[in-house]
Structures are given as C-alpha cells and as structure tokens.
Amino acid sequence: PHHFWPSPPYPEPLNELKEGIVSLMIIHDNKRTLNPASVLNRVVYDSIEANPASKHKAPLGVEELPQYYEPTGPDDETIIFESRFESGNLRRAIQIYPGEYDLILRPDINTRGHTQWYYFSVRNMRKGRKYKFNIINMMKPDSVYNQGLRPLAYSNTEAETQGVGWYRTASDIAYYANNIKR
C-alpha cells in the first residue's frame, strides 16, 4: 500500500520543549471548570455508540459504516475522526472548543486499562490552523514526549504531492497527569 512509502529524506527535529508549557496547559484546562458555559462538550466521534442525530437508522454492513459526524456545510470546521479499522483505538472524541478535542482511547488488550499508543484518522482539517488534541486517558507517570518525541502522522496529500509517507509532526506537546480517574 502507498502508506508504506519512505520516511522524509531529511532529519526530523525533536519537539522544542517550551519552558512552562505544562503549567500553561494546566491553567488552560482549569478554565473549563471556571467557565463551563464556554465548553462545547460535543461528542463528534464514538467507535461504539451510534450518533443519535445520524440519518442512518438501519443496521449497515462493516464496509458501509457511516462517519459519525456529518459536517453541516463547507464552513463547518469540525474534525471528522475515524478509528473503526485494523488497530484503530480511538474510542471517543469530544469537541471542547473550536479546534480543541478531548480524545479517549480504548485500552490495550490484556491490560488493566492501560494505553500505550494511539491510531486514528482525521479529516476536514484546515491548512494553517492549529488544533489541540488532549489524549486524556494515557496514564503513565512520564513519557518520551517530555524529551521531545513528536507524534507520527500520515497525510494522503503529502504522500501524493511530496512522496512522503509517515512523518513526525506537532508542537507545544505536553505530557502530564490530568484529573481523570481510571
């Protein structure tokens, strides 16, 4: 398949760790509690539950699964998530603010609820726009993300126009404990 194309022909830099980034993220997270009316809290993807607003009411075959969220028009910038494919493990995506999403991952098989990785697809992203993904149920005490690791991404557009397969991307990465209880 075309997603096995080679890595970029240049070294991929580590994420530059910004001083105080974790504190800034925690302050941002606390604003939800202080101003809950500004939080959208809208489920835009669920890998198990059907969308109650979906036009598809009859059961469909595996190859016919409709996307969970249907954009309302060309100006709708809501990201369309999907993970109902081999090794996909996104359980649910909740839109918090425009461009910010809480992601809940399905736990790894044969564990006591631990999650070590993630694999899902996104569509309807806008070039030049920043997005924030909060993976809220990764619970390790520390992570190599705090040493500069950046997530892997694959873009069909990059593959077609640049011949690049998987590549490292993202900035302002912070891994820290949140107030979610397992």
mmCIF file of all heavy atoms in Angstrom, residues 153-177:
data_model
loop_
_atom_site.group_PDB
_atom_site.id
_atom_site.type_symbol
_atom_site.label_atom_id
_atom_site.label_comp_id
_atom_site.label_asym_id
_atom_site.label_seq_id
_atom_site.Cartn_x
_atom_site.Cartn_y
_atom_site.Cartn_z
ATOM 1 N N ALA A 153 2.526 11.051 11.859
ATOM 2 C CA ALA A 153 1.337 11.367 11.072
ATOM 3 C C ALA A 153 1.537 10.866 9.649
ATOM 4 O O ALA A 153 2.663 10.697 9.183
ATOM 5 C CB ALA A 153 1.079 12.876 11.065
ATOM 6 N N TYR A 154 0.437 10.636 9.000
ATOM 7 C CA TYR A 154 0.457 10.272 7.589
ATOM 8 C C TYR A 154 -0.590 11.125 6.899
ATOM 9 O O TYR A 154 -1.725 11.197 7.342
ATOM 10 C CB TYR A 154 0.134 8.785 7.385
ATOM 11 C CG TYR A 154 0.142 8.401 5.933
ATOM 12 C CD1 TYR A 154 1.319 8.013 5.318
ATOM 13 C CD2 TYR A 154 -1.010 8.461 5.163
ATOM 14 C CE1 TYR A 154 1.358 7.677 3.982
ATOM 15 C CE2 TYR A 154 -0.987 8.135 3.835
ATOM 16 C CZ TYR A 154 0.187 7.746 3.238
ATOM 17 O OH TYR A 154 0.216 7.428 1.911
ATOM 18 N N SER A 155 -0.218 11.779 5.836
ATOM 19 C CA SER A 155 -1.136 12.627 5.087
ATOM 20 C C SER A 155 -1.220 12.130 3.656
ATOM 21 O O SER A 155 -0.194 12.011 2.977
ATOM 22 C CB SER A 155 -0.630 14.081 5.106
ATOM 23 O OG SER A 155 -1.279 14.840 4.116
ATOM 24 N N ASN A 156 -2.428 11.842 3.206
ATOM 25 C CA ASN A 156 -2.601 11.455 1.807
ATOM 26 C C ASN A 156 -2.100 12.557 0.880
ATOM 27 O O ASN A 156 -1.467 12.286 -0.134
ATOM 28 C CB ASN A 156 -4.072 11.152 1.500
ATOM 29 C CG ASN A 156 -4.533 9.864 2.134
ATOM 30 O OD1 ASN A 156 -3.754 8.928 2.310
ATOM 31 N ND2 ASN A 156 -5.794 9.805 2.493
ATOM 32 N N THR A 157 -2.358 13.805 1.239
ATOM 33 C CA THR A 157 -1.922 14.937 0.417
ATOM 34 C C THR A 157 -0.397 14.988 0.339
ATOM 35 O O THR A 157 0.172 15.141 -0.743
ATOM 36 C CB THR A 157 -2.473 16.258 0.984
ATOM 37 O OG1 THR A 157 -3.897 16.168 1.048
ATOM 38 C CG2 THR A 157 -2.075 17.435 0.123
ATOM 39 N N GLU A 158 0.285 14.872 1.485
ATOM 40 C CA GLU A 158 1.758 14.873 1.496
ATOM 41 C C GLU A 158 2.310 13.703 0.690
ATOM 42 O O GLU A 158 3.312 13.843 -0.011
ATOM 43 C CB GLU A 158 2.292 14.823 2.928
ATOM 44 C CG GLU A 158 2.065 16.080 3.720
ATOM 45 C CD GLU A 158 2.893 17.253 3.209
ATOM 46 O OE1 GLU A 158 4.084 17.072 2.915
ATOM 47 O OE2 GLU A 158 2.324 18.341 3.104
ATOM 48 N N ALA A 159 1.678 12.549 0.805
ATOM 49 C CA ALA A 159 2.141 11.374 0.071
ATOM 50 C C ALA A 159 2.014 11.596 -1.447
ATOM 51 O O ALA A 159 2.932 11.280 -2.203
ATOM 52 C CB ALA A 159 1.356 10.138 0.494
ATOM 53 N N GLU A 160 0.891 12.163 -1.865
ATOM 54 C CA GLU A 160 0.669 12.380 -3.295
ATOM 55 C C GLU A 160 1.510 13.511 -3.871
ATOM 56 O O GLU A 160 2.018 13.407 -4.978
ATOM 57 C CB GLU A 160 -0.821 12.645 -3.546
ATOM 58 C CG GLU A 160 -1.691 11.426 -3.286
ATOM 59 C CD GLU A 160 -3.177 11.763 -3.231
ATOM 60 O OE1 GLU A 160 -3.555 12.921 -3.526
ATOM 61 O OE2 GLU A 160 -3.958 10.868 -2.870
ATOM 62 N N THR A 161 1.684 14.588 -3.101
ATOM 63 C CA THR A 161 2.399 15.751 -3.647
ATOM 64 C C THR A 161 3.894 15.724 -3.375
ATOM 65 O O THR A 161 4.676 16.235 -4.174
ATOM 66 C CB THR A 161 1.815 17.069 -3.095
ATOM 67 O OG1 THR A 161 1.958 17.088 -1.670
ATOM 68 C CG2 THR A 161 0.353 17.229 -3.480
ATOM 69 N N GLN A 162 4.320 15.142 -2.234
ATOM 70 C CA GLN A 162 5.730 15.165 -1.845
ATOM 71 C C GLN A 162 6.390 13.788 -1.841
ATOM 72 O O GLN A 162 7.602 13.694 -1.659
ATOM 73 C CB GLN A 162 5.881 15.782 -0.442
ATOM 74 C CG GLN A 162 5.258 17.139 -0.278
ATOM 75 C CD GLN A 162 5.923 18.199 -1.126
ATOM 76 O OE1 GLN A 162 7.138 18.195 -1.271
ATOM 77 N NE2 GLN A 162 5.139 19.093 -1.693
ATOM 78 N N GLY A 163 5.594 12.727 -1.982
ATOM 79 C CA GLY A 163 6.146 11.387 -1.926
ATOM 80 C C GLY A 163 6.610 10.985 -0.543
ATOM 81 O O GLY A 163 7.466 10.124 -0.395
ATOM 82 N N VAL A 164 6.042 11.599 0.492
ATOM 83 C CA VAL A 164 6.428 11.331 1.881
ATOM 84 C C VAL A 164 5.361 10.456 2.525
ATOM 85 O O VAL A 164 4.172 10.729 2.406
ATOM 86 C CB VAL A 164 6.577 12.654 2.674
ATOM 87 C CG1 VAL A 164 6.814 12.384 4.143
ATOM 88 C CG2 VAL A 164 7.702 13.478 2.091
ATOM 89 N N GLY A 165 5.820 9.413 3.218
ATOM 90 C CA GLY A 165 4.903 8.560 3.959
ATOM 91 C C GLY A 165 4.704 9.105 5.363
ATOM 92 O O GLY A 165 4.356 10.267 5.548
ATOM 93 N N TRP A 166 4.980 8.300 6.363
ATOM 94 C CA TRP A 166 4.836 8.713 7.748
ATOM 95 C C TRP A 166 5.910 9.734 8.105
ATOM 96 O O TRP A 166 7.045 9.627 7.670
ATOM 97 C CB TRP A 166 4.961 7.504 8.669
ATOM 98 C CG TRP A 166 3.812 6.564 8.538
ATOM 99 C CD1 TRP A 166 3.720 5.495 7.706
ATOM 100 C CD2 TRP A 166 2.582 6.621 9.248
ATOM 101 N NE1 TRP A 166 2.505 4.875 7.853
ATOM 102 C CE2 TRP A 166 1.787 5.550 8.798
ATOM 103 C CE3 TRP A 166 2.067 7.468 10.221
ATOM 104 C CZ2 TRP A 166 0.508 5.304 9.296
ATOM 105 C CZ3 TRP A 166 0.789 7.228 10.722
ATOM 106 C CH2 TRP A 166 0.036 6.156 10.260
ATOM 107 N N TYR A 167 5.543 10.724 8.906
ATOM 108 C CA TYR A 167 6.492 11.756 9.334
ATOM 109 C C TYR A 167 6.111 12.246 10.724
ATOM 110 O O TYR A 167 4.971 12.082 11.160
ATOM 111 C CB TYR A 167 6.538 12.921 8.339
ATOM 112 C CG TYR A 167 5.213 13.626 8.167
ATOM 113 C CD1 TYR A 167 4.908 14.767 8.892
ATOM 114 C CD2 TYR A 167 4.248 13.135 7.283
ATOM 115 C CE1 TYR A 167 3.686 15.411 8.743
ATOM 116 C CE2 TYR A 167 3.025 13.778 7.133
ATOM 117 C CZ TYR A 167 2.756 14.905 7.866
ATOM 118 O OH TYR A 167 1.537 15.532 7.718
ATOM 119 N N ARG A 168 7.057 12.848 11.420
ATOM 120 C CA ARG A 168 6.824 13.386 12.763
ATOM 121 C C ARG A 168 6.295 14.810 12.650
ATOM 122 O O ARG A 168 6.749 15.583 11.814
ATOM 123 C CB ARG A 168 8.115 13.380 13.570
ATOM 124 C CG ARG A 168 8.696 11.991 13.690
ATOM 125 C CD ARG A 168 8.594 11.482 15.096
ATOM 126 N NE ARG A 168 8.998 10.084 15.132
ATOM 127 C CZ ARG A 168 8.368 9.171 15.838
ATOM 128 N NH1 ARG A 168 7.325 9.504 16.547
ATOM 129 N NH2 ARG A 168 8.789 7.936 15.845
ATOM 130 N N THR A 169 5.347 15.140 13.516
ATOM 131 C CA THR A 169 4.741 16.468 13.462
ATOM 132 C C THR A 169 4.240 16.868 14.844
ATOM 133 O O THR A 169 4.257 16.077 15.767
ATOM 134 C CB THR A 169 3.592 16.498 12.432
ATOM 135 O OG1 THR A 169 3.150 17.847 12.266
ATOM 136 C CG2 THR A 169 2.430 15.622 12.855
ATOM 137 N N ALA A 170 3.798 18.064 14.986
ATOM 138 C CA ALA A 170 3.176 18.653 16.178
ATOM 139 C C ALA A 170 4.160 19.538 16.930
ATOM 140 O O ALA A 170 5.371 19.415 16.804
ATOM 141 C CB ALA A 170 2.587 17.610 17.127
ATOM 142 N N SER A 171 3.599 20.451 17.698
ATOM 143 C CA SER A 171 4.378 21.356 18.546
ATOM 144 C C SER A 171 3.589 21.580 19.825
ATOM 145 O O SER A 171 2.437 21.173 19.942
ATOM 146 C CB SER A 171 4.624 22.687 17.823
ATOM 147 O OG SER A 171 3.400 23.327 17.546
ATOM 148 N N ASP A 172 4.211 22.239 20.781
ATOM 149 C CA ASP A 172 3.574 22.510 22.076
ATOM 150 C C ASP A 172 3.036 21.234 22.715
ATOM 151 O O ASP A 172 1.907 21.178 23.207
ATOM 152 C CB ASP A 172 2.442 23.544 21.926
ATOM 153 C CG ASP A 172 2.963 24.888 21.449
ATOM 154 O OD1 ASP A 172 4.153 25.162 21.639
ATOM 155 O OD2 ASP A 172 2.174 25.658 20.887
ATOM 156 N N ILE A 173 3.851 20.196 22.713
ATOM 157 C CA ILE A 173 3.462 18.900 23.265
ATOM 158 C C ILE A 173 3.774 18.896 24.757
ATOM 159 O O ILE A 173 4.856 19.279 25.177
ATOM 160 C CB ILE A 173 4.220 17.764 22.559
ATOM 161 C CG1 ILE A 173 3.880 17.777 21.061
ATOM 162 C CG2 ILE A 173 3.886 16.415 23.180
ATOM 163 C CD1 ILE A 173 4.802 16.917 20.230
ATOM 164 N N ALA A 174 2.793 18.460 25.532
ATOM 165 C CA ALA A 174 2.984 18.363 26.983
ATOM 166 C C ALA A 174 2.323 17.085 27.470
ATOM 167 O O ALA A 174 1.168 16.821 27.155
ATOM 168 C CB ALA A 174 2.374 19.575 27.680
ATOM 169 N N TYR A 175 3.056 16.308 28.217
ATOM 170 C CA TYR A 175 2.523 15.078 28.805
ATOM 171 C C TYR A 175 2.505 15.268 30.311
ATOM 172 O O TYR A 175 3.546 15.498 30.929
ATOM 173 C CB TYR A 175 3.416 13.884 28.431
ATOM 174 C CG TYR A 175 2.819 12.552 28.823
ATOM 175 C CD1 TYR A 175 2.146 11.786 27.899
ATOM 176 C CD2 TYR A 175 2.931 12.069 30.116
ATOM 177 C CE1 TYR A 175 1.591 10.566 28.242
ATOM 178 C CE2 TYR A 175 2.381 10.857 30.485
ATOM 179 C CZ TYR A 175 1.712 10.111 29.544
ATOM 180 O OH TYR A 175 1.161 8.900 29.896
ATOM 181 N N TYR A 176 1.326 15.191 30.897
ATOM 182 C CA TYR A 176 1.192 15.402 32.340
ATOM 183 C C TYR A 176 -0.068 14.722 32.838
ATOM 184 O O TYR A 176 -0.980 14.431 32.057
ATOM 185 C CB TYR A 176 1.160 16.898 32.672
ATOM 186 C CG TYR A 176 0.041 17.654 31.988
ATOM 187 C CD1 TYR A 176 -1.188 17.843 32.633
ATOM 188 C CD2 TYR A 176 0.196 18.165 30.712
ATOM 189 C CE1 TYR A 176 -2.205 18.524 32.001
ATOM 190 C CE2 TYR A 176 -0.822 18.848 30.090
ATOM 191 C CZ TYR A 176 -2.034 19.033 30.734
ATOM 192 O OH TYR A 176 -3.051 19.702 30.109
ATOM 193 N N ALA A 177 -0.116 14.472 34.123
ATOM 194 C CA ALA A 177 -1.290 13.856 34.725
ATOM 195 C C ALA A 177 -2.445 14.843 34.715
ATOM 196 O O ALA A 177 -2.270 16.037 34.966
ATOM 197 C CB ALA A 177 -0.975 13.424 36.157
#
